[in-house]
Amino acid sequence: MLEVTNLKKYFDVGHNIFAKSKLFLTAVDDISLYINRGETFGLVGESGCGKSTTGRTIIKLYQATGGRIIFDGIDITDIPEKQMKPYRKRMQMIFQDPYSSLNTRMTVTDIIGEGIDTHNIAKGKARQEIIFDLLNKVGLKREHANRYPHEFSGGQRQRIGVARALAVSPDLIICDEPISALDVSIQAQVVNMLEDFQNEMGLTYMFIAHDLSMVKHISDRIGVMYLGKLVEVCPSDELYEKPLHPYTQALLSAIPIPDPRVTRQNKRIILQGDVVSPINPPEGCRFCSRCRYVMDVCREVTPELKEVSPGHVVACHLMDRK
Ligand code: SF4
């Protein structure tokens, strides 16, 4: 469904007046990944690691600085905005903050109906029936159709966001931290709902989260990002059982386990050291300032993603020593 190769997204952040050179924030730096049809690919990393920028660049809310985006066999990287309409229908996004992503002056009918109108899917009564049907699917009622976003709870607003994405019958949905702003009790409901829609409609998801516990149940494969780079990708179960990159190990150790005996055995890895600046970062591993296994080579040579077992790739010089 989706293949991304060497994707880059740099933001111009001014000049270095001493070196007389431009400064770029390397939000996404040379990442490659694929998502199979009907699959959920989890993308995980700390805030500011570039995971949301990756999603927005894939869906072309940002123009890529470099690399290719192949969607269902078609290279959409340089397609002009005017010709993107058919692809916009097939690729939708669910945003993290359901309140700021919904226009507060529009009713639920207008919000969900916007995509239906833009893509000429239905008019009049048929349009309204689609909206009622979508509300029903996401667990809301018909009488909610004429209300405004501020009249709903956070969980309900995210359901409206899901209904808006589903309204145009997409193939791929980029879910950008869709549950991070919700109460824990509501998170599971939204994840279960997304899974049900995937089974029913054959949807493909990229599920972005800052915490590995959030993507555990929904993802088939998971990619871990650190400062604009993908550092490890593998099937979900394997990542939890056999994390190989030191950063993935630290992320996993931070997941709370509701059993005091297991918690005592599994020591949390506390990351120390400063984070390397993403503005014109130096060569070498970007995790080297915080890694407990750092070697001389890590500061000089950028580790490439290498396959260590079928479907499991890791970017770390430690893998060369095994
Ligand atoms: Fe640590 Fe070196 Fe591996 Fe980077 S390449 S994660 S610094 S061991």
Side-chain angles (χ1 to χ4, degrees), residues 231 245-247 284-295 297-299 301-303 315-319:
V231 296
H245 195 282
Y247 177 60
C285 174
R286 292 189 183 176
F287 189 57
C288 67
S289 59
R290 302 169 84 190
C291 181
R292 54 190 179 151
Y293 304 111
V294 62
M295 304 170 282
V297 64
C298 306
R299 297 196 174 88
V301 183
T302 306
C316 174
H317 291 304
L318 284 174
M319 299 304 117

Side-chain angles (χ1 to χ4, degrees), residues 54-248:
T54 302
R56 285 165 193 231
T57 309
I58 287 172
I59 212 165
K60 282 178 67 78
L61 292 179
Y62 297 142
Q63 181 58 36
T65 308
R68 310 305 316 163
I69 304 160
I70 315 290
F71 174 68
D72 204 11
I74 295 160
D75 188 340
I76 60 164
T77 323
D78 298 321
I79 290 182
E81 184 53 37
K82 279 184 186 162
Q83 292 164 29
M84 270 302 290
K85 198 172 166 188
Y87 303 103
R88 292 239 176 275
K89 180 178 177 298
R90 296 184 63 196
M91 294 192 289
Q92 287 290 305
M93 192 147 187
I94 300 171
F95 295 90
Q96 175 179 2
D97 182 351
Y99 195 62
S100 60
S101 69
L102 303 177
N103 188 332
T104 50
R105 294 183 190 181
M106 289 167 81
T107 63
V108 171
T109 292
D110 295 337
I111 290 168
I112 300 175
E114 205 174 17
I116 299 175
D117 299 338
T118 306
H119 297 286
N120 286 325
I121 294 169
K123 286 196 167 35
K125 215 171 164 221
R127 173 186 187 266
Q128 195 58 52
E129 279 310 314
I130 292 175
I131 293 167
F132 286 151
D133 185 44
L134 283 164
L135 286 176
N136 182 37
K137 276 195 169 121
V138 298
L140 295 174
K141 298 191 177 114
R142 277 175 172 240
E143 52 261 40
H144 289 137
N146 291 322
R147 294 191 192 164
Y148 290 87
H150 72 270
E151 297 177 71
F152 295 90
S153 67
Q156 286 176 319
R157 283 198 285 264
Q158 196 55 292
R159 288 170 189 271
I160 298 168
V162 173
R164 175 176 61 181
L166 294 178
V168 294
S169 307
D171 295 310
L172 170 72
I173 302 183
I174 310 270
C175 308
D176 185 9
E177 304 220 36
I179 56 172
S180 304
L182 305 179
D183 289 346
V184 176
S185 56
I186 311 291
Q187 288 179 352
Q189 290 176 13
V190 174
V191 167
N192 290 341
M193 184 176 74
L194 289 170
E195 278 183 323
D196 289 345
F197 291 141
Q198 182 171 46
N199 295 334
E200 204 179 301
M201 304 174 198
L203 296 167
T204 305
Y205 292 143
M206 172 181 264
F207 196 96
I208 298 170
H210 59 260
D211 170 337
L212 272 168
S213 64
M214 288 186 186
V215 291
K216 185 172 183 181
H217 297 293
I218 196 168
S219 305
D220 298 299
R221 287 183 304 122
I222 295 177
V224 179
M225 268 187 93
Y226 186 79
L227 271 186
K229 295 269 191 196
L230 261 181
V231 296
E232 184 160 11
V233 184
C234 71
S236 179
D237 292 344
E238 196 168 328
L239 193 86
Y240 288 90
E241 279 161 26
K242 202 180 160 198
L244 293 176
H245 195 282
Y247 177 60
T248 315

